[in-house]
């Protein structure tokens, strides 16, 4: 299938970048290229766009979609946490960075990628198909304690312990190879009342495994802690999150950049010498209309940080 993706908070995020025609911008999660194209269309011939994605299918989709742009555009097949190193090595300063942390519709809806709990496929969930760690390895080799921790921390799963125990018991009989095998195990480990809830019973566990396989939170943390030297004064960092763990992490980093002082609250003056390096704006949520048209946008939040 074609690399299709419905961007969330699309107009809000493009507006937040405050794009200048001769500016330098990066899309850290290029996906199908929709955000990248919109950014590029605001740029003139002296502008530059850097598109990053760990999924080679996304890079190829971008290559086709961005061919008509008049600005310079570069395509990097890599994880976005490596972007700061690339920028520093090449002496590039950004006017703006956009990162959309959602899993693309293409990845969710392409059954063989193994992200979906709605279709049967080999357990995979790798955003970069060349990565070594897959969902199958997590499910079949991690200890019961580690599985429980992942399900509870990354999925906020109430029945993490019983699900982890059920997985370990089942894999002793035979390997757990497919998505629907895992779904059945999850359902069997939950009480009847949980199975009657509106949310699919496997949603939280699948989310947790996906985060672990792709080191999603680690990548966000590394990017935000190292990107600031490559952002120009007045430049903006825009991050779209889709679950509370991501949003909490982004919020905390932005807050620490705006309020870096580590002095005790009762000190009359600051003695640590740490000063704010920018300002975070009020979080932006999807409109009621967007949520109705695209239910996947329901949990999305856009956070913006402007460097001094």
């Amino acid at each position: 299938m074609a690399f299709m993706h419905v961007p969330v908070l699309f107009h809000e995020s493009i507006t937040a970048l405050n794009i200048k025609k001769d500016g330098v911008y990066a899309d850290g999660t290029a996906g199908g290229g929709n955000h990248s194209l919109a950014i590029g269309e605001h740029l003139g011939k002296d502008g530059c766009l850097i598109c990053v994605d760990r999924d080679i299918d996304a890079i190829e989709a971008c290559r086709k979609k961005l061919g008509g742009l008049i600005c310079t555009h570069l395509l990097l097949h890599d994880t976005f946490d490596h972007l700061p190193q690339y920028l520093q090595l090449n002496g590039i300063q950004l006017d703006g960075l956009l990162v959309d942390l959602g899993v693309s519709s293409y990845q969710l809806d392409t059954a063989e990628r193994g992200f979906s709990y709605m279709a049967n496929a080999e357990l995979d969930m790798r955003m970069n198909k060349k990565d070594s760690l897959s969902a199958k390895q997590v499910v079949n080799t991690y200890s019961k304690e580690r599985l429980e921790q992942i399900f509870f921390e990354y999925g906020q799963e109430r029945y993490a312990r019983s699900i982890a125990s059920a997985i370990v018991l089942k894999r002793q009989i035979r390997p757990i190879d497919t998505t629907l095998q895992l779904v059945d195990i999850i359902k069997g480990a939950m009480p009847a009342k949980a199975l009657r809830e509106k949310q699919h019973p496997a949603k939280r566990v699948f989310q947790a495994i996906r985060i672990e396989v792709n080191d999603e939170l680690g990548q966000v943390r590394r990017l935000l802690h190292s990107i600031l030297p490559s952002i120009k004064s007045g430049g903006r960092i825009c991050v779209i999150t889709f679950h509370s763990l991501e949003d909490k992490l982004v919020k905390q980093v932005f807050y620490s950049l705006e309020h870096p002082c580590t002095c005790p609250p009762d000190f009359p003056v600051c003695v640590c010498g740490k000063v704010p390096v920018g300002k975070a704006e009020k979080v932006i949520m999807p409109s009621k209309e967007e949520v109705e048209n695209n239910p996947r946008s329901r949990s999305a939040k856009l956070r913006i940080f402007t460097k001094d």
Side-chain angles (χ1 to χ4, degrees):
M1 63 182 289
F3 202 110
M4 300 296 292
H5 179 58
V6 180
V8 173
L9 291 164
F10 181 74
H11 298 292
E12 293 87 343
S13 58
I14 299 301
T15 300
L17 285 170
N18 194 25
I19 300 171
K20 299 181 290 188
K21 291 184 71 69
D22 61 348
V24 181
Y25 296 86
D27 183 352
T29 47
N34 292 307
H35 280 128
S36 295
L37 180 61
I39 296 169
E41 288 176 339
H42 282 75
L43 296 173
K45 59 181 179 61
D46 295 324
C48 179
L49 171 63
I50 302 170
C51 305
V52 186
D53 207 286
R54 67 195 301 177
D55 190 330
I56 192 61
D57 293 344
I59 292 296
E60 293 307 316
C62 279
R63 196 181 308 280
K64 296 175 183 177
K65 184 166 285 189
L66 307 182
L69 294 178
I70 62 171
C71 65
T72 300
H73 52 282
L74 311 173
L75 303 176
L76 302 180
H77 179 216
D78 207 339
T79 52
F80 57 65
D81 60 329
H82 290 156
L83 176 62
Q85 182 181 18
Y86 173 84
L87 296 173
Q88 291 164 23
L89 286 173
N90 290 278
I92 299 172
Q93 290 272 296
L94 297 178
D95 292 283
L97 167 67
L98 174 62
V99 183
D100 178 348
L101 299 178
V103 182
S104 75
S105 302
Y106 168 83
Q107 289 167 330
L108 289 173
D109 297 336
T110 304
E112 58 264 30
R113 298 297 296 270
F115 286 95
S116 176
Y117 42 78
M118 301 297 290
N120 201 28
E122 185 174 347
L123 271 173
D124 195 329
M125 301 194 199
R126 291 173 297 172
M127 292 181 183
N128 182 347
K129 291 179 279 189
K130 292 186 178 180
D131 286 346
S132 58
L133 184 64
S134 69
K136 185 186 293 187
Q137 289 171 273
V138 169
V139 169
N140 286 287
T141 66
Y142 277 28
S143 69
K144 179 172 71 69
E145 293 74 20
R146 179 63 177 143
L147 288 173
E148 180 183 342
Q149 180 185 25
I150 290 169
F151 299 159
F152 183 76
E153 292 184 4
Y154 294 168
Q156 298 171 309
E157 174 55 65
R158 291 169 293 168
Y159 307 105
R161 179 172 297 177
S162 59
I163 293 170
S165 297
I167 287 172
V168 171
L169 285 174
K170 292 290 185 180
R171 75 189 190 192
Q172 290 174 352
I173 301 170
R174 61 168 178 153
I176 303 167
D177 294 323
T178 69
T179 53
L180 292 192
Q181 271 182 277
L182 180 57
V183 169
D184 287 343
I185 295 168
I186 294 168
K187 287 181 176 179
M190 296 175 119
K193 65 177 181 178
L195 301 179
R196 293 193 293 268
E197 293 176 359
K198 185 176 180 180
Q199 182 172 265
H200 193 285
K203 180 178 180 179
R204 291 180 292 268
V205 169
F206 269 62
Q207 172 185 292
I209 296 172
R210 191 201 75 223
I211 290 172
E212 172 68 12
V213 167
N214 297 288
D215 188 25
E216 293 178 26
L217 297 177
Q219 287 197 31
V220 175
R221 188 178 296 108
R222 289 190 292 274
L223 172 71
L224 295 181
H225 281 297
S226 59
I227 192 64
L228 209 64
S230 297
I231 301 292
K232 296 179 185 177
S233 176
R236 295 188 169 190
I237 303 170
C238 303
V239 184
I240 302 173
T241 65
F242 285 83
H243 57 76
S244 59
L245 294 174
E246 292 173 340
D247 186 62
K248 182 179 179 181
L249 172 57
V250 176
K251 182 180 179 180
Q252 287 176 338
V253 173
F254 284 179
Y255 183 87
S256 69
L257 294 173
E258 187 176 0
H259 305 91
C261 179
T262 56
C263 297
D266 58 346
F267 270 34
V269 294
C270 173
V271 295
C272 72
K274 296 180 179 179
V275 297
V277 293
K279 184 175 179 58
E281 298 185 16
K282 184 178 179 181
V283 65
I284 298 175
M285 313 276 282
S287 66
K288 182 179 178 181
E289 182 181 10
E290 179 171 10
V291 173
E292 290 175 351
N293 292 333
N294 181 12
R296 286 178 179 169
S297 70
R298 185 176 293 107
S299 61
K301 294 181 180 180
L302 169 62
R303 293 194 180 272
I304 306 158
F305 185 85
T306 304
K307 183 179 177 181
D308 288 340

